[in-house]
Amino acid sequence: MNNIFNIKRFEKVFGNDASDFFPKFGGFLIVLWAIPIIIWVFTLLNIDDSPIKPTFRYSFIHLLCSFSCLLVPARLYRHINDPKKGIEFAMTPASSFEKFLSMTLFCAVITPAIYFIGAYAIDVILSIIPNSPYNEYIWHRGVIVSDYNDNQLYLSVAAKSIKFGFFLKLFNKLTGCLMTASIFMLGNAIFKKRKTSKTIGILVLFAFIATTIIITTAMSERFNEFMLSIVERLDDMPEEEMSLWYASKVRLLINYSLIFKLLVSAVFLFFTYRKIKTQRY
């Protein structure tokens, strides 16, 4: 028998996690699904007739999806490192890799998939209600291609680059869910109490350090000279050439973002697996 992976053992672990999913996390999903409905109701009752734009709804759904990936590890696998309550997890007849794989699937794939399906279904239902603040479906006006803003220049560029725009940015969102889940999976495996809040605290600290470095760099004379040269170059460009230049930089930015998220996810998932494998009770 393979000590690392056996499909029958994995099926039992996966089934056990599946049976725990909705009892332990279903309430949180309902709350996350309800938030857009509450905003929709308040907007409907408001005397202001301004619609809720698809771009806002798209970005907001992805933000709430990140929250679901952030919360699920500590809800489903809270006791994996507990000296007493973690015995059940340790005694599960499966290898460390099988437990880790099931955990990764539920935290980084199944949870965001379930949330997205429910969130988009709710958005469609709210869009077809008469006099709805959702005056357009969420995929209208190229929102799936561009969720940044309503800048017409960007939208025209995105329309020309729809192949990269849709599939690359969709994959970018999925890797974002993977990175969020992997970070909080490791935090859940390391900390015994206040798992989510401690992980958030560490992330805030790193964000503060990174922001300080970025601001310091942006205030340097060399950086200002570099930015000034770019502005002067753009001023001399025809609009069509500037659009192509902008599109190439957006592609480059997304590519770097993908590589960064995949590398971070790989590192955190590796250390999560190592922590599960070496955990002592």
Side-chain angles (χ1 to χ4, degrees), residues 4-231:
I4 297 177
F5 184 81
N6 179 274
I7 188 64
K8 291 184 178 179
R9 290 200 311 256
F10 176 72
E11 286 177 356
K12 291 180 180 179
V13 174
F14 187 86
N16 183 62
D17 289 345
S19 64
D20 288 340
F21 183 80
F22 283 105
K24 291 183 177 180
F25 196 66
F28 287 88
L29 280 176
I30 292 172
V31 171
L32 292 176
W33 283 328
I35 293 175
I37 299 176
I38 294 172
I39 295 175
W40 182 89
V41 170
F42 275 102
T43 306
L44 184 66
L45 297 177
N46 198 329
I47 57 174
D48 185 9
D49 293 330
S50 300
I52 304 176
K53 294 183 178 181
T55 46
F56 169 80
R57 286 147 48 197
Y58 177 75
S59 299
F60 193 60
I61 284 176
H62 282 277
L63 176 64
L64 294 178
C65 180
S66 297
F67 273 105
S68 70
C69 295
L70 176 156
L71 294 169
V72 69
R75 295 302 305 174
L76 288 185
Y77 306 99
R78 176 179 296 274
H79 302 305
I80 64 171
N81 59 351
D82 188 281
K84 295 181 179 179
K85 297 179 180 179
I87 297 298
E88 180 181 351
F89 180 81
M91 296 301 292
T92 302
S95 67
S96 298
F97 178 75
E98 290 160 353
K99 297 173 187 177
F100 163 76
L101 180 59
S102 180
M103 182 187 302
T104 303
L105 288 174
F106 273 97
C107 293
V109 180
I110 295 174
T111 296
I114 291 176
Y115 173 76
F116 272 132
I117 292 171
Y120 279 106
I122 290 170
D123 190 274
V124 170
I125 293 171
L126 295 178
S127 298
I128 62 179
I129 295 176
N131 301 319
S132 171
Y134 293 1
N135 62 341
E136 294 177 288
Y137 290 115
I138 198 168
W139 53 81
H140 280 184
R141 293 171 55 195
V143 66
I144 300 299
V145 175
S146 169
D147 59 317
Y148 289 109
N149 49 50
D150 287 329
N151 184 277
Q152 293 301 316
L153 173 62
Y154 183 84
L155 289 177
S156 66
V157 173
K160 295 175 184 177
S161 310
I162 191 166
K163 288 184 179 180
F164 106 87
F166 179 77
F167 293 106
L168 194 58
K169 292 195 68 182
L170 177 62
F171 187 56
N172 195 28
K173 295 295 184 183
L174 295 176
T175 54
C177 292
L178 175 63
M179 185 179 71
T180 301
S182 65
I183 292 172
F184 283 86
M185 283 169 61
L186 181 59
N188 181 64
I190 293 176
F191 302 119
K192 289 183 169 61
K193 295 181 179 180
R194 299 189 180 94
K195 299 167 178 280
T196 303
S197 59
K198 287 181 179 178
T199 307
I200 292 175
I202 292 175
L203 289 177
V204 169
L205 177 61
F206 273 105
F208 175 78
I209 295 173
T211 303
T212 302
I213 294 173
I214 292 172
I215 292 175
T216 303
T217 304
M219 293 178 65
S220 66
E221 183 177 349
R222 186 174 181 179
F223 181 80
N224 288 331
E225 291 175 355
F226 171 72
M227 293 302 299
L228 183 60
S229 67
I230 292 178
V231 172

